Amino acid sequence: MVEATTGNARFFRRSGPHSLAAVAGEARGIADERDLLFEGVAPLQTAGPNEVSFLDNRRYASALKQTLAGAVIVHPDMAARVPFRTVAIVTAEPYAAWARVAALFYPVPPVSPGIHRSAIVAEEALVDPSAEVGPLSVIEAGAEIGPRARIGPCAVIGSGVIVGRDCRIGAHVSLSHAMLGSRVYVHPGARIGQEGFGFACTGDGFLSIPQLGRAILEDDVEVGANTTIDRGSSRDTVIGAGSRLDNLVQIGHNVILGRCCVIVAQVGISGSTVLEDFVRVGGQAGMAGHVRIGQGAEIGAQAGVISDVAPGAKVLGSPAQPKLDFFRQLATLKKIAR
């Protein structure tokens, strides 16, 4: 059997050990002053005395009671439940603290500056000396690769594309007619900036409409594996700063996402739809074109949105309707079925 471990050394490079003070500082939490060193992170159920764990869900309180972890990141409400042999690192945001501590022990591998000998880089391309260009990748004329960017194996960076500082472009990604801000992470297989689905119907068939916009990904955007983002037709497609797109998402031409939107796997957003800031969309939801989703709205999994959604609204079903209405109808159907 394969041993189940967090941060297996075969795949993840670990830093440390780190002192309790360093871990608590990274967590932005409060802990007792003890002279302790920790070597990694692990779940409550498997963590040992030299590892850090966390609790963010009260349903796992029983696991907290039995944990052997040397330290546990917890909310102040749960601090009293931490076993006496375990140090409590107390913070109002345990999950965010866990993210920072895990990154302390397992930081992103540093960029290895340079261009692999098998990469094809046009003379007219601008590649910062601190960037890493992986094997068999292609960078076309006029493209710009910023400081400390990493271009993965077999990626294709099209003519004129801009990849900002500290971006990570995964293996087999293709970028065309796109401009990426800083710290954008594009996972393997994503396609960004290709032609959108635009055509006119004529008596002789379909006539393709030139797609003359761009795909703009602002700072700190993350794009999941095999996701596709079409460039705009007459205006740009824009993914707002800090937004997170899961795997297998389709973004149509002219779509605009605001800041910090979350789009879960297999969502399809049709052309010219606008999502305002902090919208959340559940898996397999679909949106018709030219609709507007208000700030902070939540679209449930498999919802079908065919009209505008008000700011802060929570909708479910197809066609999408307010969450409470959806569950009332469901309850009524169950009564009728009886």
Side-chain angles (χ1 to χ4, degrees):
M1 293 181 62
V2 177
E3 182 183 2
T5 60
T6 302
N8 187 283
R10 179 180 290 271
F11 301 107
F12 302 97
R13 182 182 301 176
R14 182 168 59 191
S15 72
H18 296 288
S19 67
L20 172 61
V23 172
E26 196 69 24
R28 301 177 189 173
I30 299 173
D32 293 340
E33 294 185 7
R34 300 191 195 178
D35 188 16
L36 298 174
L37 289 176
F38 297 100
E39 296 182 359
V41 295
L44 288 169
Q45 297 87 340
T46 61
N50 61 344
E51 293 175 311
V52 181
S53 191
F54 83 108
L55 175 70
D56 189 47
N57 191 323
R58 290 176 177 270
R59 289 185 297 178
Y60 298 101
S62 60
L64 174 63
K65 182 179 179 180
Q66 300 173 10
T67 190
L68 299 177
V72 177
I73 302 167
V74 292
H75 189 273
D77 293 346
M78 299 297 291
R81 299 194 185 189
V82 175
F84 73 93
R85 60 183 175 273
T86 300
V87 178
I89 300 175
V90 182
T91 173
E93 297 181 326
Y95 201 47
W98 168 255
R100 288 189 287 267
V101 170
L104 172 67
F105 284 99
Y106 298 97
V108 175
V111 170
S112 298
I115 300 173
H116 193 274
R117 63 180 179 275
S118 65
I120 300 174
V121 179
E123 291 184 3
E124 298 83 358
L126 297 177
V127 179
D128 191 274
S130 64
E132 175 184 340
V133 178
L136 301 175
S137 56
V138 176
I139 301 179
E140 297 181 354
E144 299 179 19
I145 310 300
R148 299 175 302 280
R150 172 181 284 138
I151 310 301
C154 300
V156 177
I157 311 300
S159 178
V161 167
I162 296 177
V163 177
R165 64 178 62 243
D166 299 303
C167 288
R168 290 184 286 163
I169 309 302
H172 294 277
V173 166
S174 64
L175 303 178
S176 171
H177 304 80
M179 301 178 71
L180 280 58
S182 299
R183 300 172 303 280
V184 174
Y185 186 6
V186 182
H187 288 262
R191 310 295 179 193
I192 297 173
Q194 63 283 337
E195 287 190 2
F197 195 55
F199 53 86
C201 298
T202 72
D204 299 323
F206 302 119
L207 182 63
S208 295
I209 298 174
Q211 304 291 290
L212 302 177
R214 303 168 297 177
I216 308 296
L217 278 62
E218 297 181 348
D219 295 348
D220 301 300
V221 164
E222 187 165 325
V223 178
N226 295 320
T227 281
T228 56
I229 303 174
D230 297 341
R231 70 175 183 264
S233 56
S234 56
R235 70 183 192 200
D236 294 333
T237 299
V238 180
I239 309 299
S243 291
R244 295 287 188 271
L245 279 59
D246 199 358
N247 302 333
L248 296 168
V249 170
Q250 158 62 14
I251 305 292
H253 60 201
N254 302 338
V255 166
I256 296 178
L257 268 61
R259 295 180 299 115
C260 297
C261 291
V262 176
I263 314 296
V264 182
Q266 298 184 354
V267 165
I269 303 179
S270 298
S272 299
T273 289
V274 175
L275 279 67
E276 297 180 0
D277 297 346
F278 301 103
V279 169
R280 298 189 178 196
V281 184
Q284 297 186 331
M287 273 155 268
H290 304 273
V291 299
R292 190 177 193 92
I293 313 299
Q295 179 172 329
E298 296 183 11
I299 312 300
Q302 297 188 329
V305 179
I306 60 174
S307 59
D308 292 353
V309 176
K314 298 180 180 181
V315 299
L316 286 171
S318 185
Q321 56 189 304
K323 182 178 178 180
L324 291 178
D325 291 349
F326 175 82
F327 283 119
R328 287 192 190 103
Q329 292 178 17
L330 204 61
T332 300
L333 287 173
K334 287 183 177 179
K335 289 180 181 178
I336 294 173
R338 294 191 190 119

